[in-house]
Amino acid sequence: MDECGSRIRRRVSLPKRNRPSLGCIFGAPTAAELEPGDEGKEEEEMVAENRRRKTAGVLPVEVQPLLLSDSPECLVLGGGDTNPDLLRHVPTDRGVGDQPDDSEVDMFGDYDSFTENSFIAQVDDLEQKYMQLPEHRKHATDFATENLCSESIKNKLSITTIGNLTELQTDKHTENQSGYEGVTIEPGADLLYDVPSSQPIYFENLQNSSNDLGDHSMKERDWKSSSHNTVNEEPPHNCIEQPQQNDESSSKVRTSSDMNRRKSIKDHLKNAMTGNAKAQTPIFSRSKQLKDTLVSEEINVAKKTIESSSNDLGPFYSLPSKVRDLYAQFKGIEKLYEWQHSCLTLNSVQERKNLIYSLPTSGGKTLVAEILMLQELLCCRKDVLMILPYVAIVQEKISGLSSFGIELGFFVEEYAGSKGRFPPTKRREKKSLYIATIEKGHSLVNSLIETGRIDSLGLVVVDELHMIGEGSRGATLEMTLAKILYTSKTTQIIGMSATLNNVEDLQKFLQAEYYTSQFRPVELKEYLKINDTIYEVDSKAENGMTFSRLLNYKYSDTLKKMDPDHLVALVTEVIPNYSCLVFCPSKKNCENVAEMICKFLSKEYLKHKEKEKCEVIKNLKNIGNGNLCPVLKRTIPFGVAYHHSGLTSDERKLLEEAYSTGVLCLFTCTSTLAAGVNLPARRVILRAPYVAKEFLKRNQYKQMIGRAGRAGIDTIGESILILQEKDKQQVLELITKPLENCYSHLVQEFTKGIQTLFLSLIGLKIATNLDDIYHFMNGTFFGVQQKVLLKEKSLWEITVESLRYLTEKGLLQKDTIYKSEEEVQYNFHITKLGRASFKGTIDLAYCDILYRDLKKGLEGLVLESLLHLIYLTTPYDLVSQCNPDWMIYFRQFSQLSPAEQNVAAILGVSESFIGKKASGQAIGKKVDKDVVNRLYLSFILYTLLKETNIWTVSEKFNMPRGYIQNLLTGTASFSSCVLHFCEELEEFWVYRALLVELTKKLTYCVKAELIPLMEVTGVLEGRAKQLYSAGYKSLMHLANANPEVLVRTIDHLSRRQAKQIVSSAKMLLHEKAEALQEEVEELLRLPSDFPGAVASSTDKA
């Protein structure tokens, strides 16, 4: 500062003569505006100037740049860069140009006589006291003889008059706003630093701007913008109160001021202003100013461009090129189809509008969804929810996307069965991709709404959108989407399906754009087979089909009897070199057809990939603890297997892997495979136009034949529907009619639909009165279709009835509010039982029964075994499907321990009752059938948890192993629901810890040492046993495993599967580590409601 060689000129703010307030701020006039006679007083005025400057070092002065636009009542003068044109427009009592000499004007008017408490008196007193300090006298002399910085220092004095007191405060925030943080002003320091040091530095930089023009422009722009923000944030009259500690210093100053005042304050300030006016005005080049302005504008434009395109991270649809490389590496996708490119570049997609798109099966719909999800996760930095119809597909998708999460830095979280955390973990930096079933997706959205985090969900992707019209699951999906639409305006919804017809209704419901294409990567040809003649489906033909060919296959009499539909002839045209799917009407028919085909296949089929088939059989035995289905034992050597829900999850996964790798070439399957995992084939054969006993629907037909044609492998796909003459007319209608319309089941599914919806709306406070609930209903898919679906009652009537039912059931309470004599409003709030029911996603048909059973259980809960707890968590909806084998029931009952028999006695089921049922005797005493059946299912589950072997339990209870596993999965899920139910009711505190452990046991149903391995998506019991035997005993072992070593060590494990297992393990490990890290930071973070924190924030304000 001392080397600057120019003067510091300060601006003085004074009130206008006719204004009682001190709120307006004046500046000293420029040198050009002063009278010539003033120049002779320069030396005297410089001394006064120095005194005034020292005073500023003691007083807490608020120093800020002052903008002309800040206060229309204030006049700003002085400074070489002040525009004279602007001054003419400042509203004042007299014109600026008409001002006489300062020395001749009474600038203070009525303020000439000051009280002891006045501001200017304090200024003078402090000045005198300050000058008496010896350490400052020499400096004052030196300061008067030197020239300092040539630039003006812009100061603003903020003054508030409160009664007779005038208070003053320094705005410390200005230092940070100017761009130079950490510079402080300390009383008693060198006087050069009495002004905020950020401002001299700034003007010093301006002087040296010719050395670095670009840097100067950026700093000037940033400083101006921050200064402007500071001014705009202030109160209208710049009134800021002074801290209380200034009162003490004021009293001390008053004592010294009486002794040390030497001259009139009026003269003192007049001279100071005259001295200010003598300061030299810096001369700037006009061209340089224009150049600086131009550079500043260019930088502004560049910055705006960067900000607007901040979501564009790279060349691959705004994603880094690494994403394209990962698709090539993990999925072998080098290039997108033309329709995929068109869809991703749609204006509606770019503008983040909701979108529905529909293409034939195998058209590549999922890839578009994945790219959109990655854009949301990486570019928009928001969480994503993907809703899929089945648990198996959720697990398949998680396995496929975990490697992307590891490479690109986001989490992939599973919400299926009993898995999933509510509310989801709030991540610090990385975003989460939630992959969920329909039911878990609904619970996830509820928890996000409840915690106020629904806006963190940037995108929701729904696969198989047509399922919105399928029973209770469709109603749940509709509720989920309706809540998202109602509560979040920033969440984008993408829906996709291969079988949509009434798209207009869905568009209206989702407020979405629609994109469709008939693209298929592989051409599909549809055929019909009647007797031994094959016809090609042709929409241009008169009856919808044209003759194609006759089957040329020599059939023996025996073969004709066994295979009247010529299935052997049809499959042998493609297997074993190509794959084939045969859809059968029932599970039993699948097994029979597989065995029949194998009986008539030649021995040559046994040699095709013989070694690999032996491995499949060996692995099936391992996962079954030495047990192997006799049908599969006979069919797998021929490359044939059946596929339906009767298989265990381990068996199904193993067979699907063998089919995908070409070891198995033929599946006989039910229709569920068409909607499940992706297993395409060269030829698809429909054994009959029936699913069970119901005639095939157009949607089901399209899904089944959509599996024909494998992209990248086949050049053509074929479908053949076998039919009898009696079904010919119906089939012709089937192949020509449009797809079935999709209708809402929200009201049809009463307890799982509209009532559950209303309960959650009120519980989440989305809508709590009758009018709001009715308004919400109008925005649902049902609301869109109400004219078609409602015949007898109106939507209003249904709404009122449902709310009345919930109130009568004790789940809601109604409050009546009288707004006026005529107007009445009905408000609703949820009861404790209602909240527990909606939090646990309990079917409202059973919530009161569950409450009663849990309450009764508290009276005598038997904890010597798990039987009582298992009974309380056995799903109610499976009870009606149960038909006990009474002999088996009696045998199991007689083997119970005394404690277990006590459980049965508490429930009201006696051994004598079961014995009479087993022997067929008449029963006089009435026993609740549902309790008896539920206890039978509990026996199955209890035995399974003890033995952990589905095969053994299957034989013991004479039930299909697939049914037993479905029972286990359903019970694990329901146990999780009961746990959430109990968490909301204080009286059930005892169940909370018990059900956490029980849910884990039911979820995995294996020995404890295998559970850490089975937490990894895609690792089931059989694979977990293999890994454990090979030395991989923990999650850390798997996460650090080498996929190549795994392939060599583990039997029948492909390289792709090994990579997926390692990726899933790494993802899970990262999730756990992140959760622990966040927990640590949360513990160390100062609580937001900490009393001291509140006080400090108040002081800052």
Side-chain angles (χ1 to χ4, degrees):
M1 284 291 295
D2 291 333
E3 290 83 23
C4 287
S6 57
R7 299 180 182 179
I8 294 180
R9 177 174 43 79
R10 298 189 56 158
R11 199 179 334 181
V12 178
S13 301
L14 298 172
K16 286 184 287 187
R17 182 188 299 274
N18 61 343
R19 295 184 185 273
S21 170
L22 294 176
C24 293
I25 300 169
F26 289 79
T30 62
E33 294 168 322
L34 292 172
E35 295 293 332
D38 293 330
E39 297 175 6
K41 303 177 182 178
E42 182 173 354
E43 289 298 323
E44 180 183 350
E45 289 166 355
M46 277 304 297
V47 174
E49 166 70 4
N50 291 334
R51 288 178 185 167
R52 187 177 61 81
R53 193 173 301 285
K54 289 164 189 166
T55 305
V58 180
L59 281 172
V61 180
E62 176 181 341
V63 185
Q64 283 188 349
L66 180 66
L67 298 183
L68 279 169
S69 60
D70 186 45
S71 177
E73 299 180 19
C74 295
L75 174 61
V76 182
L77 300 175
D81 48 355
T82 304
N83 190 340
D85 294 331
L86 290 175
L87 298 176
R88 285 195 289 270
H89 298 291
V90 179
T92 59
D93 290 340
R94 70 167 70 194
V96 174
D98 299 327
Q99 285 186 4
D101 188 349
D102 285 19
S103 60
E104 298 175 3
V105 177
D106 183 2
M107 299 179 69
F108 303 97
D110 296 337
Y111 297 96
D112 215 49
S113 180
F114 295 95
T115 65
E116 285 189 345
N117 290 335
S118 72
F119 162 68
I120 300 182
Q122 291 181 38
V123 170
D124 192 72
D125 294 344
L126 286 174
E127 174 192 309
Q128 301 307 326
K129 182 178 180 181
Y130 191 83
M131 286 298 294
Q132 290 174 5
L133 299 175
E135 62 267 27
H136 292 294
R137 286 172 185 157
K138 181 179 181 298
H139 182 77
T141 309
D142 295 339
F143 188 65
T145 57
E146 287 188 343
N147 290 329
L148 298 173
C149 285
S150 61
E151 286 300 313
S152 64
I153 308 299
K154 299 182 179 180
N155 298 319
K156 182 172 66 175
L157 300 177
S158 295
I159 304 168
T160 302
T161 304
I162 304 175
N164 294 326
L165 295 177
T166 304
E167 298 183 347
L168 188 68
Q169 181 184 8
T170 304
D171 188 351
K172 298 177 183 177
H173 187 59
T174 308
E175 291 176 18
N176 293 336
Q177 291 281 356
S178 62
Y180 297 89
E181 298 182 7
V183 182
T184 58
I185 305 171
E186 296 180 9
D190 194 312
L191 283 178
L192 289 174
Y193 297 98
D194 287 345
V195 293
S197 53
S198 59
Q199 297 192 36
I201 292 172
Y202 169 72
F203 287 108
E204 190 174 12
N205 287 342
L206 263 185
Q207 192 173 7
N208 299 327
S209 62
S210 57
N211 296 333
D212 192 353
L213 182 61
D215 185 60
H216 150 70
S217 302
M218 282 296 289
K219 287 181 181 177
E220 181 180 31
R221 179 174 59 100
D222 292 343
W223 185 84
K224 284 182 179 177
S225 63
S226 63
S227 301
H228 184 65
N229 290 339
T230 305
V231 172
N232 288 341
E233 288 167 5
E234 291 177 359
H237 296 290
N238 300 313
C239 298
I240 303 175
E241 294 184 2
Q242 178 191 11
Q244 292 180 2
Q245 53 262 39
N246 285 350
D247 293 340
E248 297 178 11
S249 62
S250 298
S251 61
K252 294 178 183 178
V253 169
R254 283 199 297 272
T255 307
S256 61
S257 65
D258 292 332
M259 298 184 296
N260 297 324
R261 185 174 297 149
R262 294 176 299 177
K263 62 163 62 177
S264 165
I265 298 296
K266 172 180 171 182
D267 294 340
H268 170 71
L269 288 178
K270 279 184 185 178
N271 291 334
M273 290 177 65
T274 308
N276 281 350
K278 292 294 182 181
Q280 303 233 342
T281 302
I283 300 173
F284 279 106
S285 165
R286 181 68 178 164
S287 60
K288 183 176 181 297
Q289 283 184 328
L290 289 173
K291 189 176 180 182
D292 289 353
T293 305
L294 182 62
V295 171
S296 181
E297 285 178 0
E298 287 176 352
I299 292 171
N300 267 323
V301 171
K303 187 177 180 183
K304 285 179 182 177
T305 306
I306 291 168
E307 287 173 352
S308 64
S309 61
S310 60
N311 289 344
D312 191 348
L313 300 182
F316 185 66
Y317 301 99
S318 299
L319 291 166
S321 53
K322 183 179 181 181
V323 176
R324 180 177 53 207
D325 298 338
L326 290 174
Y327 270 108
Q329 179 186 341
F330 295 141
K331 299 195 175 186
I333 298 172
E334 301 281 351
K335 188 179 179 184
L336 270 64
Y337 298 130
E338 189 176 331
W339 83 264
Q340 291 171 329
H341 173 75
S342 302
C343 188
L344 286 167
T345 52
L346 286 172
N347 286 337
S348 53
V349 174
Q350 305 295 325
E351 295 166 8
R352 288 181 48 79
K353 292 181 180 177
N354 295 344
L355 176 71
I356 300 169
Y357 63 100
S358 176
L359 280 98
T361 305
S362 304
K365 296 185 296 295
T366 308
L367 179 59
V368 170
E370 286 180 8
I371 291 173
L372 291 172
M373 291 191 298
L374 291 174
Q375 286 178 353
E376 196 69 27
L377 289 162
L378 304 179
C379 303
C380 302
R381 306 291 299 159
K382 290 283 192 81
D383 296 328
V384 174
L385 168 62
M386 187 178 200
I387 298 176
L388 300 169
Y390 304 112
V391 175
I393 307 178
V394 168
Q395 292 175 342
E396 183 186 38
K397 186 60 64 180
I398 284 176
S399 297
L401 289 176
S402 288
S403 6
F404 284 85
I406 296 295
E407 294 290 335
L408 299 172
F410 61 86
F411 291 109
V412 182
E413 300 184 40
E414 180 180 352
Y415 280 79
S418 60
K419 291 186 178 179
R421 184 179 298 185
F422 301 101
T425 305
K426 192 173 183 179
R427 307 292 181 189
R428 291 175 304 125
E429 294 177 2
K430 292 184 179 180
K431 297 304 169 185
S432 292
L433 168 58
Y434 311 113
I435 302 181
T437 55
I438 292 171
E439 293 76 15
K440 286 292 180 178
H442 183 223
S443 299
L444 179 65
V445 168
N446 280 345
S447 68
L448 288 173
I449 293 171
E450 185 177 27
T451 53
R453 289 167 51 194
I454 189 64
D455 287 332
S456 68
L457 198 61
L459 174 66
V460 175
V461 174
V462 182
D463 195 10
E464 310 295 352
L465 183 60
H466 62 271
M467 289 193 73
I468 200 171
E470 295 183 11
S472 61
R473 304 194 79 212
T476 304
L477 179 58
E478 180 180 345
M479 287 188 276
T480 306
L481 296 176
K483 286 175 187 174
I484 293 168
L485 288 166
Y486 194 85
T487 57
S488 176
K489 303 303 177 189
T490 58
T491 305
Q492 184 183 15
I493 297 174
I494 304 286
M496 52 182 172
S497 174
T499 54
L500 284 177
N501 188 32
N502 56 332
V503 182
E504 295 81 9
D505 289 348
L506 282 166
Q507 274 187 269
K508 191 174 179 183
F509 165 48
L510 295 176
Q511 302 151 35
E513 303 287 322
Y514 180 56
Y515 179 88
T516 186
S517 170
Q518 293 306 310
F519 171 82
R520 273 188 62 92
V522 178
E523 184 187 359
L524 172 63
K525 291 192 174 181
E526 298 177 45
Y527 296 97
L528 304 175
K529 177 189 166 296
I530 306 172
N531 300 323
D532 58 353
T533 308
I534 294 180
Y535 300 89
E536 184 174 354
V537 174
D538 185 358
S539 57
K540 296 175 184 176
E542 187 176 344
N543 61 351
M545 61 182 188
T546 55
F547 173 81
S548 177
R549 63 190 173 96
L550 287 171
L551 270 179
N552 185 19
Y553 191 87
K554 292 181 181 180
Y555 266 72
S556 64
D557 292 338
T558 310
L559 183 54
K560 280 182 182 177
K561 283 184 181 179
M562 296 288 291
D563 183 24
D565 295 327
H566 307 94
L567 278 172
V568 174
L570 293 173
V571 300
T572 51
E573 288 179 349
V574 289
I575 66 170
N577 296 321
Y578 298 98
S579 56
C580 181
L581 295 174
V582 179
F583 283 101
C584 304
S586 67
K587 288 185 280 189
K588 190 62 182 172
N589 193 236
C590 287
E591 298 176 28
N592 293 340
V593 168
E595 283 200 282
M596 183 273 293
I597 289 173
C598 290
K599 281 180 182 177
F600 296 100
L601 290 178
S602 69
K603 302 296 182 185
E604 293 296 317
Y605 286 91
L606 295 171
K607 298 176 183 177
H608 182 75
K609 297 195 175 182
E610 186 176 3
K611 185 181 176 183
E612 289 89 340
K613 290 172 189 171
C614 290
E615 284 294 319
V616 173
I617 291 173
K618 179 184 171 185
N619 287 321
L620 282 171
K621 278 185 179 179
N622 286 339
I623 62 177
N625 291 319
N627 298 289
L628 177 64
C629 170
V631 177
L632 292 175
K633 186 177 181 180
R634 289 191 290 269
T635 61
I636 287 176
F638 289 92
V640 179
Y642 65 85
H643 185 287
H644 57 61
S645 60
L647 295 166
T648 66
S649 300
D650 284 304
E651 289 174 321
R652 198 157 52 241
K653 190 169 185 65
L654 195 60
L655 293 174
E656 286 167 1
E657 289 168 359
Y659 178 87
S660 298
T661 53
V663 176
L664 299 179
C665 53
L666 173 64
F667 265 169
T668 57
C669 51
T670 54
S671 59
T672 52
L673 185 138
V677 291
N678 187 23
L679 295 173
R682 170 67 174 268
R683 177 176 288 181
V684 170
I685 301 169
L686 280 69
R687 171 84 172 72
Y690 291 91
V691 173
K693 294 180 181 179
E694 291 185 9
F695 196 80
L696 200 62
K697 293 178 182 177
R698 174 73 173 167
N699 289 351
Q700 293 170 324
Y701 172 72
K702 291 292 284 184
Q703 277 199 319
M704 289 180 189
I705 68 171
R707 295 295 180 200
R710 296 174 299 174
I713 300 173
D714 300 327
T715 55
I716 194 170
E718 301 171 333
S719 73
I720 301 173
L721 172 57
I722 300 172
L723 64 144
Q724 309 300 322
E725 280 289 346
K726 65 183 180 67
D727 296 323
K728 183 177 178 182
Q729 193 56 42
Q730 272 186 289
V731 168
L732 289 176
E733 290 176 9
L734 172 72
I735 61 175
T736 54
K737 71 179 181 181
L739 295 163
E740 287 83 10
N741 284 340
C742 191
Y743 293 111
S744 170
H745 279 67
L746 196 59
V747 172
Q748 191 175 334
E749 297 290 333
F750 200 53
T751 56
K752 289 186 178 179
I754 191 169
Q755 290 184 1
T756 300
L757 172 62
F758 286 178
L759 192 65
S760 63
L761 288 181
I762 295 163
L764 294 169
K765 297 183 172 60
I766 297 172
T768 54
N769 62 61
L770 185 55
D771 292 334
D772 289 348
I773 293 168
Y774 177 70
H775 175 67
F776 183 95
M777 279 299 293
N778 277 300
T780 61
F781 189 41
F782 181 85
V784 171
Q785 297 180 327
Q786 58 181 296
K787 290 181 181 177
V788 179
L789 298 176
L790 292 178
K791 303 296 182 185
E792 298 175 0
K793 297 178 181 177
S794 68
L795 181 58
W796 177 265
E797 290 173 321
I798 288 174
T799 304
V800 171
E801 279 183 16
S802 299
L803 289 169
R804 185 186 300 124
Y805 176 85
L806 290 169
T807 307
E808 290 170 356
K809 207 172 172 72
L811 302 172
L812 292 179
Q813 282 187 356
K814 183 169 74 172
D815 302 322
T816 306
I817 299 173
Y818 295 94
K819 289 190 169 182
S820 63
E821 292 182 2
E822 299 178 355
E823 189 179 357
V824 178
Q825 180 175 303
Y826 297 105
N827 283 3
F828 295 88
H829 67 267
I830 197 165
T831 63
K832 287 183 178 179
L833 178 60
R835 179 168 295 281
S837 301
F838 117 74
K839 279 292 193 72
T841 60
I842 306 293
D843 185 343
L844 298 187
Y846 306 119
C847 64
D848 48 352
I849 303 171
L850 175 64
Y851 179 81
R852 188 179 66 235
D853 287 346
L854 291 170
K855 189 81 173 171
K856 188 178 179 182
L858 288 178
E859 296 172 7
L861 189 61
V862 179
L863 296 177
E864 289 182 51
S865 73
L866 289 172
L867 182 61
H868 201 170
L869 278 176
I870 290 171
Y871 173 83
L872 292 172
T873 56
T874 302
Y876 292 99
D877 54 354
L878 295 179
V879 171
S880 58
Q881 306 167 17
C882 175
N883 294 306
D885 184 317
W886 296 106
M887 283 303 297
I888 295 173
Y889 203 159
F890 182 71
R891 196 182 305 128
Q892 291 297 316
F893 205 104
S894 61
Q895 294 173 3
L896 294 177
S897 68
E900 292 160 353
Q901 286 183 353
N902 187 27
V903 174
I906 290 171
L907 298 173
V909 181
S910 64
E911 188 174 2
S912 61
F913 171 81
I914 304 298
K916 286 178 180 179
K917 289 291 285 184
S919 60
Q921 297 179 29
I923 298 166
K925 187 180 177 182
K926 190 176 181 181
V927 178
D928 191 334
K929 181 185 174 184
D930 287 342
V931 174
V932 174
N933 288 2
R934 196 176 182 210
L935 184 60
Y936 185 69
L937 294 177
S938 302
F939 281 176
I940 297 171
L941 292 162
Y942 183 50
T943 309
L944 187 58
L945 283 185
K946 285 195 295 184
E947 301 186 10
T948 69
N949 186 341
I950 287 180
W951 279 91
T952 310
V953 178
S954 173
E955 290 172 5
K956 190 174 284 187
F957 286 88
N958 193 25
M959 282 184 162
R961 59 195 183 280
Y963 173 83
I964 291 175
Q965 186 164 60
N966 290 337
L967 171 65
L968 179 66
T969 306
T971 306
S973 185
F974 187 64
S975 175
S976 174
C977 294
V978 175
L979 171 60
H980 294 305
F981 180 89
C982 292
E983 284 172 344
E984 296 300 317
L985 296 169
E986 187 63 35
E987 58 199 293
F988 294 147
W989 62 271
V990 71
Y991 288 118
R992 294 174 197 167
L994 297 171
L995 290 177
V996 168
E997 286 305 310
L998 180 65
T999 303
K1000 186 180 277 191
K1001 286 178 182 292
L1002 290 167
T1003 301
Y1004 300 109
C1005 193
V1006 292
K1007 293 178 180 177
E1009 62 264 22
L1010 296 181
I1011 289 178
L1013 298 176
M1014 290 184 67
E1015 286 180 346
V1016 178
T1017 302
V1019 176
L1020 299 176
E1021 184 181 0
R1023 187 72 77 206
K1025 286 178 179 176
Q1026 287 180 309
L1027 291 166
Y1028 193 85
S1029 301
Y1032 298 96
K1033 299 184 178 182
S1034 70
L1035 182 63
M1036 286 75 78
H1037 287 164
L1038 275 186
N1040 291 288
N1042 185 336
E1044 298 299 327
V1045 176
L1046 283 180
V1047 171
R1048 292 195 299 269
T1049 310
I1050 308 299
D1051 292 335
H1052 203 71
L1053 180 69
S1054 69
R1055 187 168 280 99
R1056 181 180 65 87
Q1057 292 161 352
K1059 287 179 179 177
Q1060 287 182 347
I1061 287 173
V1062 172
S1063 295
S1064 297
K1066 282 182 179 176
M1067 176 62 66
L1068 189 57
L1069 195 63
H1070 286 181
E1071 282 180 30
K1072 290 189 173 187
E1074 182 89 2
L1076 288 172
Q1077 197 170 349
E1078 286 172 4
E1079 191 175 342
V1080 169
E1081 290 189 1
E1082 188 65 31
L1083 286 170
L1084 296 176
R1085 191 179 296 127
L1086 185 70
S1088 57
D1089 57 350
F1090 184 68
V1094 176
S1096 63
S1097 63
T1098 306
D1099 292 343
K1100 287 179 183 177

